[in-house]
Amino acid sequence: MKQRVFSGARPTGRQHIGNYIGAIENYVKLQEKYNCVYCIVDIHALTTLESTSELQQNIFEMTLDWLAAGIDPKKSIVFVQSHVPEVTELFTFLGMVTPLGWLLRVPTFKEKARMQPQNVNYGLVGYPVLMAADIMLYKTDLVPVGEDQLPHLEMTREIVRRFNFLFGDTFPEPKAKLTNYPMVLGLNGAQKMGKSYNNHIELAATPAETLEKIKTAVTDPARQRRNDKGHPDVCNIFSLHKFFNVDRVQEIEVECKAAGIGCVDCKKLLADGINRALHGFRERRIALAKDPDHIYDILSDGAGRAQAIAKETIMEVKTKMGLIRHA
Ligand code: ADP
């Protein structure tokens, strides 16, 4: 039996190259060795959203990106969290075995509470319990995470241990599948690439849009004129060449340091590299987008397969917790 992998991502709409390098590429690879469950966690999104008007569009766009990138619904289960309502049932049950003190100490809760003081809702503090419910509902063995997310997974493991201690062995203790995701820097060079910083390049952008976006990027701040020598080690454009112009990266480094190539040309090279690398993805995405019914069928099929597992888990949990009358 292959081990089961679970990963959830909030529906943030069109994905950017940071998401691709930091997560999606890995999702695609994991499918070869594991039974993967990939979930768009729309309920999680509700904990921080001010408006839900774009939620449906974001789910659709993100699904397109996942499928075009190679997440294969024949190999993996791809679905939307709320389409399998059993997760909210398990969330409620796990809420009864999770001490509030654990949740109030979570650093991301404190940070989010600071960021949205007007909306410190009950769901926000319960976020790690819902995450545990996601992972446990599918009896997950492995969760792909970066080192920074280890504390979150540790909370799930504690909830698993507590549940198993109180009600008998039910859930495997999920292990981290540590992947050292490279952090992709945003075009402004100031922080990681992210939608909220508007320093990103969408995977689905056209070649022309990609070039336009890259033209706005900040480069080596010490390089004022074309003839100044560059410092690739502090240039965010250069850091992207490492992903998209792998075979030319050394040459670009030498040329930049010797002022043989200027920033304008260097940006053009990067746009060419990205556009070449994403050409197949973009063609597949355009084709997929023409048939929304097909996309919704995939999500519905995924939800059905996920629900079959979920129902079994819930039955077992309710039995162990004494909620079902023994015959
Ligand atoms: P979420 O809140 O679901 O993590 P994000 O859009 O922030 O949503 O990230 C989705 C995935 O993409 C995460 O696994 C995250 O680590 C990865 N990711 C996002 N931005 C970057 C980046 N700039 N570099 C590397 N990985 C990234």
Side-chain angles (χ1 to χ4, degrees):
M1 259 298 262
K2 283 186 192 169
Q3 287 188 301
R4 183 166 290 143
V5 162
F6 177 93
S7 188
R10 286 177 305 138
T12 47
R14 289 186 169 205
Q15 301 290 282
H16 53 73
I17 58 181
N19 297 131
Y20 181 74
I21 293 165
I24 302 172
E25 193 177 26
N26 188 43
Y27 284 4
V28 175
K29 282 191 197 136
L30 288 169
Q31 301 181 114
E32 303 310 324
K33 261 184 82 180
Y34 301 100
N35 282 327
C36 297
V37 180
Y38 295 130
C39 180
I40 298 179
V41 290
D42 56 345
I43 308 177
H44 276 288
L46 298 180
T47 60
T48 51
L49 279 187
E50 277 167 25
S51 150
T52 58
S53 60
E54 287 173 11
L55 201 48
Q56 286 308 312
Q57 189 62 23
N58 284 346
I59 291 170
F60 181 71
E61 299 278 353
M62 189 158 155
T63 311
L64 282 180
D65 282 335
W66 278 11
L67 298 175
I71 294 181
D72 181 351
K74 291 198 187 74
K75 293 181 185 150
S76 304
I77 297 180
V78 183
F79 74 108
V80 178
Q81 186 183 30
S82 68
H83 296 182
V84 182
E86 281 77 4
V87 74
T88 58
E89 220 176 337
L90 186 57
F91 171 56
T92 302
F93 298 148
L94 296 180
M96 311 305 170
V97 303
T98 310
L100 187 57
W102 290 4
L103 300 174
L104 294 174
R105 280 198 295 273
V106 173
T108 38
F109 167 66
K110 291 188 189 165
E111 189 191 314
K112 283 185 177 156
R114 251 198 317 275
M115 278 164 66
Q116 51 180 61
Q118 77 296 351
N119 183 18
V120 185
N121 58 69
Y122 172 60
L124 199 58
V125 73
Y127 197 109
V129 185
L130 183 56
M131 178 177 147
D134 280 321
I135 295 170
M136 292 164 70
L137 192 59
Y138 305 104
K139 300 244 175 134
T140 301
D141 302 297
L142 296 168
V143 184
V145 286
E147 210 145 324
D148 53 327
Q149 291 171 45
L150 276 179
H152 293 149
L153 186 62
E154 197 43 47
M155 171 79 73
T156 298
R157 289 162 56 84
E158 282 184 46
I159 296 173
V160 165
R161 286 194 283 269
R162 202 171 158 93
F163 188 97
N164 287 348
F165 172 75
L166 291 170
F167 301 109
D169 218 10
T170 310
F171 295 104
E173 256 183 59
K175 292 193 178 59
K177 171 114 187 70
L178 257 190
T179 317
N180 282 328
Y181 303 110
M183 203 266 273
V184 180
L185 212 58
L187 293 176
N188 57 356
Q191 62 278 90
K192 75 174 208 169
M193 185 176 286
K195 247 186 171 167
S196 44
Y197 307 118
N198 194 22
N199 62 1
H200 64 294
I201 300 170
E202 287 177 354
L203 296 169
T206 63
E209 285 165 355
T210 304
L211 178 61
E212 280 313 305
K213 197 87 198 230
I214 293 175
K215 278 187 188 165
T216 67
V218 174
T219 53
D220 169 11
R223 197 174 184 193
Q224 300 289 336
R225 284 173 298 269
R226 167 67 184 78
N227 291 336
D228 291 343
K229 291 180 176 162
H231 306 88
D233 45 318
V234 296
C235 177
N236 55 327
I237 292 294
F238 183 72
S239 68
L240 288 168
H241 279 303
K242 290 183 196 158
F243 298 113
F244 294 102
N245 276 320
V246 183
D247 47 345
R248 299 187 67 179
V249 69
Q250 268 176 327
E251 178 196 338
I252 293 169
E253 182 173 8
V254 172
E255 290 285 307
C256 171
K257 281 180 173 164
I261 177 181
C263 293
V264 174
D265 293 331
C266 189
K267 287 178 172 180
K268 174 92 180 40
L269 275 179
L270 178 63
D272 289 346
I274 292 176
N275 291 333
R276 227 183 355 259
L278 293 179
H279 179 71
F281 164 89
R282 287 169 174 169
E283 296 225 306
R284 285 190 295 280
R285 194 185 197 280
I286 289 167
L288 285 164
K290 286 189 180 141
D291 190 359
D293 287 346
H294 177 58
I295 303 300
Y296 291 114
D297 283 348
I298 288 172
L299 290 176
S300 157
D301 175 70
R305 284 152 66 201
Q307 194 168 35
I309 307 168
K311 277 185 188 295
E312 279 190 27
T313 307
I314 288 295
M315 193 51 100
E316 186 182 352
V317 165
K318 287 173 90 171
T319 306
K320 293 222 164 113
M321 291 184 98
L323 296 167
I324 289 176
R325 186 171 63 90
H326 287 286

